[in-house]
Amino acid sequence: MSNSTLPTLPASDRPEVAARLRDALLGAAFTADGLLDLLGAPAYAALARSETVPALRATRGDTPLEKLVRLFLLQQPVPHARVADVLPVAACLESGWLVSVGTDEVAATVDVRPYGGPDGEDWFIVSDLGCAVGGAGGIGSREEGVVLGVGGASTTLAGITVRTPVSAALDLGTGSGIQALHAARHATRVTATDLNPRALHITALTLALSGAPAADLREGSLFEPVRDDETYELIVSNPPFVISPGARLTYRDGGMGGDDLCRSLVQQAGDRLREGGFAQFLANWQHVEGEDWQDRLRSWVPRGCDAWIVQREVQDVTQYAELWLRDAGDHQGDTAAYEALYDAWLDEFEARKVKAVGFGWITLRRTDSDAPSITVEEWPHPVEQPLGDAVREHFDRVDYLRGRDDAALLAAHFRLADEVIQEQVGLPGAEDPEHVVLRQHRGMRRATKVDTVGAGFAGVCDGTLSAGRILDAIAQLVGEDPVLLRDRTPAQIRLLVEQGFLEPVG
């Protein structure tokens, strides 16, 4: 289905109208905080699930904010006279933000949703009507070119992205423009691409309405719109990663077989990165019979790049098919048609010998090292967002450890990271614990088992003594040969540094 059946979008070349509309929205407290105050937590949370009834009940009054919520969030026509004192109605009608309906009412042509930036910025995300919330709740439209708003995947990627200042950033598959909007805070120049021209149009609206600089918008798939001589210090993408039979929905289905789109994206990113630059993606990958999923992902990493790949979730093929059939609302239609689609998904997985699908994060960093580091792990546990600093620090630790042998490690000084606690596990009354666990309360919130020497070592690390001196003191206390202790402990120290429990000093 072509984009021509979708509503006409507001003009993207009228920044003065977007600025006036922004001022009006802010003047009425049409912000994330303002909505929470007006609606209350339950109704506000319901909006994130695409449930509008609580918000409709909370906006039955006639305040400026209530009128704007009904117009732009709930897609309810509002009498012209009721919004004339709140919005520049004539300019919004002329530029296409509003349309006249009936005899005396106006309606929004797009969904406009307040979004709080990381430093308290008041931003607005534009999306197609009924599609403000991306994800598996049913998008309200089966149009091929529909553009979704911000969902859980979008905010996850925004949270894990490294936010150091850069001169050039690239957002591949920009959608409604949320990643480009975040990048505009710390990138001198932002390029955003999308196969869907409607998405580029909406990205321009999102940036303008949020008061952000315009991006260099380019139509095309993946890296096709990028010239051969163009490189970036940051590349981000929340791509259409869904592994599906066919490509019905542009916003989610990549149109390549299996997980080839994600593989291609990762493999091609290396040549587009500047030295030290990061490429960060969300992705799905297949778990294939007779194949190690971690080896599969290691084979994706391009030459000259360090990589950190984290699998956050795994679904069997039936769960996966049901998730995305519900995403498109197929479960609400004809039962026979739904079952036929479900069958087609399972046929596709069976033909490819796929038993499950993983979801997670992939981060690449361009390096000049002769021995790139590739870490592939499974971590389904809760984490503390934003994680951008934690991602950067992971690669800093990779550099630190890569340049030090065991002797250098023993000569180094370390301190215990903040908010690390020790847990001792064992039977009540036992003289010694069965095992000791160190647990982080920030970032990845890791937990790792250590022996009594490792626990004692970590506990006294305050940067004063070298690792070797601390081990010598422990050897004396426990009656061990200090030479043997120095020989067997560096591997444990290396692991504690690698996972962020210990921080190098100096």
Side-chain angles (χ1 to χ4, degrees):
M1 190 175 295
S2 70
N3 291 350
S4 61
T5 60
L6 291 166
T8 301
L9 294 171
S12 60
D13 58 352
R14 298 289 303 276
E16 74 285 357
V17 178
R20 291 178 63 192
L21 177 56
R22 173 178 171 79
D23 288 343
L25 297 177
L26 294 178
F30 187 75
T31 64
D33 290 340
L35 288 186
L36 183 58
D37 290 340
L38 171 68
L39 303 178
Y44 189 74
L47 275 179
R49 303 190 299 269
S50 296
E51 296 289 350
T52 59
V53 171
L56 284 167
R57 292 174 60 86
T59 56
R60 289 178 288 195
D62 200 41
T63 67
L65 180 55
E66 287 172 299
K67 289 181 280 192
L68 292 179
V69 169
R70 293 181 72 84
L71 184 64
F72 285 114
L73 259 65
L74 305 179
Q75 279 90 61
Q76 300 294 307
V78 177
H80 185 293
R82 290 184 63 193
V83 291
D85 61 338
V86 181
L87 295 174
V89 175
C92 288
L93 285 168
E94 192 270 334
S95 60
W97 288 95
L98 301 175
V99 292
S100 295
V101 293
T103 57
D104 65 345
E105 292 184 318
V106 295
T109 58
V110 288
D111 187 292
V112 175
R113 187 151 303 220
Y115 178 86
D119 290 329
E121 300 94 341
D122 288 315
W123 290 340
F124 300 97
I125 308 301
V126 180
S127 63
D128 273 311
L129 295 174
C131 301
V133 181
I139 63 170
S141 173
R142 300 186 191 183
E143 297 281 6
E144 176 186 341
V146 71
V147 179
L148 271 61
V150 176
S154 302
T155 55
T156 293
L157 179 59
I160 67 172
T161 300
V162 176
R163 297 296 175 193
T164 52
V166 297
S167 61
L170 173 63
D171 175 16
L172 289 175
T174 188
S176 59
I178 179 61
Q179 308 305 329
L181 182 56
H182 275 278
R185 294 177 59 251
H186 62 103
T188 305
R189 177 173 57 87
V190 177
T191 301
T193 72
D194 206 290
L195 181 64
N196 182 3
R198 189 175 182 85
L200 297 176
H201 191 140
I202 283 182
T203 291
L205 299 176
T206 290
L207 294 173
L209 197 58
S210 298
D216 178 5
L217 304 175
R218 304 183 190 179
E219 183 180 344
S221 177
L222 301 182
F223 289 100
E224 286 177 3
V226 180
R227 298 192 307 270
D228 291 342
D229 61 344
E230 288 182 299
T231 56
Y232 301 86
E233 292 144 293
L234 176 66
I235 300 173
V236 293
S237 183
N238 177 17
F241 52 66
V242 176
I243 300 170
S244 62
R248 288 190 302 150
L249 299 172
T250 303
Y251 77 88
R252 69 166 205 194
D253 300 324
M256 297 185 186
D259 53 18
D260 283 353
L261 182 137
C262 291
R263 176 185 55 78
S264 298
L265 182 64
V266 173
Q267 290 180 336
Q268 293 174 26
D271 291 337
R272 303 297 184 178
L273 279 177
R274 298 177 187 174
E275 190 66 35
F278 288 91
Q280 298 185 260
F281 314 110
L282 301 185
N284 277 180
W285 43 79
Q286 298 172 149
H287 286 229
V288 181
E289 290 181 19
E291 189 176 297
D292 186 301
W293 69 269
Q294 294 184 330
D295 289 343
R296 180 182 188 85
L297 290 174
R298 287 189 185 95
S299 73
W300 290 8
V301 178
R303 290 178 179 272
C305 288
D306 294 323
W308 184 21
I309 302 173
V310 182
Q311 180 167 274
R312 296 287 290 157
E313 184 180 1
V314 181
Q315 292 185 321
D316 67 49
V317 292
T318 59
Q319 291 174 310
Y320 189 81
E322 290 163 14
L323 170 69
W324 294 109
L325 288 169
R326 289 178 176 275
D327 168 83
D330 293 312
H331 63 300
Q332 298 172 343
D334 177 74
T335 300
Y338 170 75
E339 291 176 351
L341 286 169
Y342 198 155
D343 215 28
W345 282 66
L346 296 186
D347 282 344
E348 178 82 4
F349 285 131
E350 184 177 345
R352 294 180 176 276
K353 298 183 178 180
V354 176
K355 57 184 181 180
V357 177
F359 168 83
W361 320 325
I362 298 177
T363 300
L364 307 177
R365 185 189 61 167
R366 190 74 187 177
T367 179
D368 59 2
S369 172
D370 294 330
S373 166
I374 301 176
T375 300
V376 183
E377 62 176 319
E378 186 166 16
W379 189 253
H381 311 293
V383 298
E384 181 189 51
Q385 285 276 35
L387 276 170
D389 287 345
V391 172
R392 176 181 50 79
E393 289 163 1
H394 166 88
F395 288 95
D396 289 344
R397 294 193 295 269
V398 165
D399 286 341
Y400 178 86
L401 292 172
R402 183 160 47 200
R404 284 167 175 79
D405 59 16
D406 287 355
L409 212 59
L410 291 173
H413 294 237
F414 301 97
R415 62 176 292 273
L416 187 66
D418 294 335
E419 297 190 41
V420 172
I421 64 170
Q422 176 179 304
E423 300 173 356
Q424 297 188 165
V425 181
L427 293 174
E431 184 175 344
D432 296 311
E434 293 179 20
H435 58 264
V436 179
V437 174
L438 298 182
R439 188 179 301 277
Q440 300 168 348
H441 278 252
R442 299 180 63 185
M444 291 292 288
R445 294 179 175 171
R446 295 186 184 278
T448 189
K449 289 183 182 180
V450 292
D451 59 21
T452 53
V453 170
F457 178 87
V460 298
C461 277
D462 62 1
T464 304
L465 299 175
S466 69
R469 291 282 300 278
I470 292 174
L471 289 179
D472 291 344
I474 292 174
Q476 187 173 3
L477 285 173
V478 301
E480 282 202 42
D481 184 331
V483 175
L484 293 178
L485 194 61
R486 278 174 172 253
D487 283 344
R488 71 177 175 85
T489 308
Q492 192 168 191
I493 297 174
R494 194 173 292 274
L495 178 64
L496 291 175
V497 174
E498 178 184 327
Q499 294 191 345
F501 290 94
L502 294 178
E503 298 175 348
V505 175

